[in-house]
Amino acid sequence: MDLTTRIRRRQQTGNSSPVIRDYEAISPVAHIDEPAQRGPTLERLLDYLDPVFDGHTPTNAYVWGATGTGKSAIVTALFTQLSRLLTSSAPVIHTSTRAQTTDTPAFIHIDTRRADSPFGLYHALLDSLLEESIPEQGVKTEALRTRVVDYFRPVDRNAVVAVDHLNEPGGVDLSMVAETIAPIADSIALVGIGRRPSDEIEAELSIPERIEVPPYEHHALVEILTARSSGGLTEGAISHEQLRRLANWADGNAHDALAALFCAADFAEAAGYDRLRETELTEGMNAVPQPSAALGRVHTLQRNRQLVLRRLIDLPENELESVDAAADAIVQPAPVDLSSKTVQRFLYELAESGIIQRVPVSSSTGAGRPPSRLEPRFPTPVFRRLYDLDEN
DNA sequence: GATCCACGGGAATACACGGATG
DNA sequence: CATCCGTGTATTCCCGTGGATC
């Protein structure tokens, strides 16, 4: 987020704002520079990456853990820091590539929620490796692949590539990534990241290293919530006891805890209170479905799908009674240059990926297959607020 | 002109139900 | 009674088209 946006957000909430100082600070989808409470996992990752410090390529690895354990946060933060520190400590060679020494690997993080095709994967790789801008279409997939292969032709070029959000419903699986990237060069180490337990993943790829990221301990989660709310909420807006309650409820899932905190704060703010009452806290927790789809998932959806979701969550109950009705209602107001049929397809896709759920409604009307009611499976108040802030 | 991608529309398939059939 | 059939929706699949980019 750029500076202008930040300032504008402050303007919107204003200094008089009783509860929330900075939405970004309590956002479950915010980028974290310094992951907290994950010391042991960081150490394991650093152990695994040890060959890097001698200029070698590590083996392939798989990092896994339940939702909301901070897998993505840890790896992205670690990779960012590593490339910063390793490149600045050695002489820089100026080429068309990003600043890199000859024997320092590139640390790349690819989100398969966005890069979900071979074309997308090659594009993401090149985009990280090269300064120049990479064509987004109009060029053959094979052409991009060739460029990646060419990049790795020099023997001293290597990379550690984290491939995040593997095996999500409707998403990319490890074997697809392995087929696409692994054959390019031996000097590429793949680090798969996903929820599926390590013994469940099947891939035609050797993965010697398996690292599990455990759920947060209760006290660790309290620490995180404390840090976040001291950054994003006003002084005294929430009590330590309330944070403990949240952490207890979330049971190690930082995503859900933050989402509930965000909702509760937002509710209190809207109601004009200067601190969170038990009512808001409870409502906040109730606003997070169990289990909940990740807001990060929603956040990375394409523009039009987010628009559809934004409208969906404001529909009255009676228009959620069938996919057909919802699609029609979504297309109704204001300009959407989408046909009802396309919105319908989006809704089915979103249901497929678990962001919304189709609940079969008991049919009594007789004729035909009964429709299904649509239920969002993510914390809608958070999405609504962040989406609307982004609009301005 | 080539290529990728998002849309859109229609075909094919699945499912539910009541009624007919064996 | 079990199974099949016809009708009506819901859901999934598939592919052509046009826009955007190179």
Side-chain angles (χ1 to χ4, degrees):
Chain A
M1 182 176 43
D2 61 31
L3 197 53
T4 333
T5 323
R6 287 179 192 276
I7 293 172
R8 199 170 290 142
R9 286 190 184 179
R10 292 304 182 96
Q11 267 182 328
Q12 283 171 349
T13 56
N15 284 332
S16 61
S17 147
V19 171
I20 297 177
R21 275 208 309 236
D22 181 7
Y23 279 111
E24 187 75 7
I26 53 170
S27 162
V29 294
H31 171 72
I32 307 297
D33 294 322
E34 193 71 31
Q37 310 295 323
R38 297 270 73 157
T41 303
L42 279 170
E43 287 302 322
R44 279 205 64 187
L45 283 166
L46 284 169
D47 284 347
Y48 153 69
L49 289 169
D50 208 45
V52 157
F53 299 101
D54 297 326
H56 298 120
T57 312
T59 59
N60 296 320
Y62 181 62
V63 177
W64 60 282
T67 170
T69 50
K71 301 180 291 296
S72 304
I74 299 168
V75 174
T76 47
L78 181 60
F79 274 27
T80 309
Q81 296 285 10
L82 277 172
S83 23
R84 189 177 303 154
L85 293 175
L86 290 181
T87 49
S88 62
S89 63
V92 172
I93 294 178
H94 294 285
T95 63
S96 67
T97 69
R98 294 217 190 280
Q100 253 193 65
T101 58
T102 43
D103 55 2
T104 313
F107 291 94
I108 299 173
H109 178 270
I110 297 178
D111 188 349
T112 60
R113 285 168 174 168
R114 287 187 186 284
D116 60 354
S117 64
F119 185 92
L121 291 173
Y122 295 136
H123 185 278
L125 276 175
L126 290 169
D127 204 39
S128 307
L129 292 168
L130 307 177
E131 281 292 354
E132 64 216 67
S133 73
I134 312 300
E136 295 184 16
Q137 50 187 287
V139 53
K140 229 178 189 165
T141 303
E142 197 52 34
L144 287 191
R145 181 190 160 86
T146 306
R147 290 181 67 177
V148 180
V149 171
D150 286 347
Y151 175 89
F152 283 102
R153 207 177 294 285
V155 286
D156 55 354
R157 292 244 174 102
N158 56 351
V160 184
V161 181
V163 191
D164 206 348
H165 301 121
L166 255 23
N167 291 315
E168 291 189 340
V172 169
D173 59 13
L174 181 52
S175 50
M176 188 280 236
V177 175
E179 284 168 24
T180 310
I181 297 181
I184 288 183
D186 290 336
S187 56
I188 299 178
L190 279 180
V191 180
I193 306 175
R195 268 175 226 164
R196 295 260 296 278
S198 125
D199 53 4
E200 273 185 26
I201 58 158
E202 68 303 314
E204 44 290 320
L205 178 74
S206 114
I207 310 173
E209 189 73 29
R210 320 264 174 140
I211 299 174
E212 178 181 5
V213 184
Y216 288 100
E217 303 281 343
H218 179 263
H219 69 88
L221 196 44
V222 174
E223 287 299 315
I224 289 173
L225 292 174
T226 306
R228 293 287 207 112
S229 48
S230 78
L233 304 186
T234 53
E235 194 79 25
I238 188 166
S239 72
H240 188 66
E241 179 51 35
Q242 287 177 314
L243 292 175
R244 290 174 50 83
R245 256 189 72 196
L246 265 181
N248 204 39
W249 165 82
D251 195 26
N253 183 334
H255 167 273
D256 287 4
L258 277 170
L261 173 66
F262 188 109
C263 292
D266 202 31
F267 294 159
E269 172 108 1
Y273 296 105
D274 61 354
R275 55 175 214 80
L276 278 68
R277 300 174 309 158
E278 293 306 296
T279 315
E280 281 85 45
L281 199 62
T282 306
E283 282 174 3
M285 295 187 284
N286 287 340
V288 184
Q290 295 295 318
S292 168
L295 280 161
R297 177 86 187 82
V298 177
H299 195 67
T300 47
L301 289 171
Q302 295 169 323
R303 196 90 203 116
N304 275 343
R305 323 223 166 195
Q306 289 197 42
L307 172 64
V308 165
L309 272 187
R310 178 64 188 84
R311 294 206 171 175
L312 180 81
I313 62 178
D314 279 352
L315 291 183
E317 285 291 324
N318 64 320
E319 302 199 293
L320 291 172
E321 288 304 314
S322 79
V323 176
D324 210 34
D328 283 344
I330 285 169
V331 172
Q332 279 305 311
V336 205
D337 51 353
L338 292 173
S339 76
S340 165
K341 190 70 201 297
T342 299
V343 171
Q344 204 179 49
R345 184 166 54 80
F346 285 1
L347 291 174
Y348 280 116
E349 282 175 15
L350 290 165
E352 167 70 25
S353 55
I355 292 171
I356 58 184
Q357 185 172 22
R358 296 197 342 250
V359 185
V361 60
S362 56
S363 71
S364 49
T365 43
R369 183 174 177 169
S372 29
R373 191 163 43 84
L374 292 180
E375 269 179 21
R377 295 303 300 175
F378 56 98
T380 54
V382 184
F383 171 67
R384 180 185 285 113
R385 175 67 64 201
L386 293 178
Y387 184 96
D388 292 350
L389 284 174
D390 256 352
E391 283 295 271
N392 306 320

